[in-house]
Amino acid sequence: MSGGEVAGILVAVFWAILVSFLAVALARLAQTLKATTKLVADVTDQAVPLLADASQAVRSAQTQIDRVDAIASDVQEVTSNASALSTTVASTFGGPLVKVAAFGYGVRRALGGRKEDVPEKSPRRTVIVGRTVPAARRKRNPRGKRD
């Protein structure tokens, strides 16, 4: 065998080994692509029902939000009506009731002070170091009692 034939055989063996490695790599790549395709199909099969459930949950939540919004607007309307009613009652009955109460107090006071069998009380006086201070000029202590 000559040097050219040996070189040709070496090149052929090298190419055969290279093609074998490439074939093994392509076979493994094909297996990986098949596994990936199966995985994507499984994920898709599971994701579609989950997305449908999520969509239903969002619709249900929107319905509940609409109900709460309607309730909140009704409560706001009731609150404004109650406020208007309170203002109306206060303006209609407030003034006259105050006048009637004041009149009743005045009548009781007038009738209570004219009893003939009860002697009038003399105003209390406070003695301070030999002086008498009228009750109207006495100061109140912090507890609300007179000195």
Side-chain angles (χ1 to χ4, degrees):
M1 288 200 194
S2 70
E5 292 175 359
V6 173
I9 293 176
L10 285 177
V11 169
V13 169
F14 174 75
W15 279 109
I17 293 173
L18 182 64
V19 169
S20 298
F21 281 128
L22 288 176
V24 169
L26 286 176
R28 289 192 179 173
L29 181 63
Q31 289 175 350
T32 304
L33 287 176
K34 283 181 186 179
T36 304
T37 303
K38 185 176 186 258
L39 180 65
V40 168
D42 291 344
V43 168
T44 302
D45 290 344
Q46 293 175 2
V48 169
L50 289 175
L51 289 174
D53 290 345
S55 177
Q56 180 61 33
V58 168
R59 279 191 225 105
S60 176
Q62 183 62 39
T63 302
Q64 296 301 323
I65 288 172
D66 291 341
R67 288 180 184 168
V68 169
D69 187 39
I71 290 169
S73 66
D74 290 345
V75 167
Q76 184 178 10
E77 185 178 340
V78 167
T79 303
S80 65
N81 288 344
S83 176
L85 180 64
S86 172
T87 303
T88 302
V89 167
S91 65
T92 303
F93 297 112
L97 284 177
V98 169
K99 290 178 184 176
V100 166
F103 178 75
Y105 176 76
V107 168
R108 275 185 287 144
R109 182 95 169 159
L111 293 177
R114 299 211 179 212
K115 292 183 180 177
E116 295 175 10
D117 57 346
V118 177
E120 276 191 42
K121 290 183 180 178
S122 62
R124 291 182 57 192
R125 298 188 181 265
T126 303
V127 177
I128 300 176
V129 189
R131 291 186 341 172
T132 300
V133 179
R137 292 184 53 197
R138 280 188 245 151
K139 294 181 183 177
R140 291 191 173 263
N141 68 12
R143 294 185 185 137
K145 296 180 182 176
R146 293 190 175 208
D147 291 332

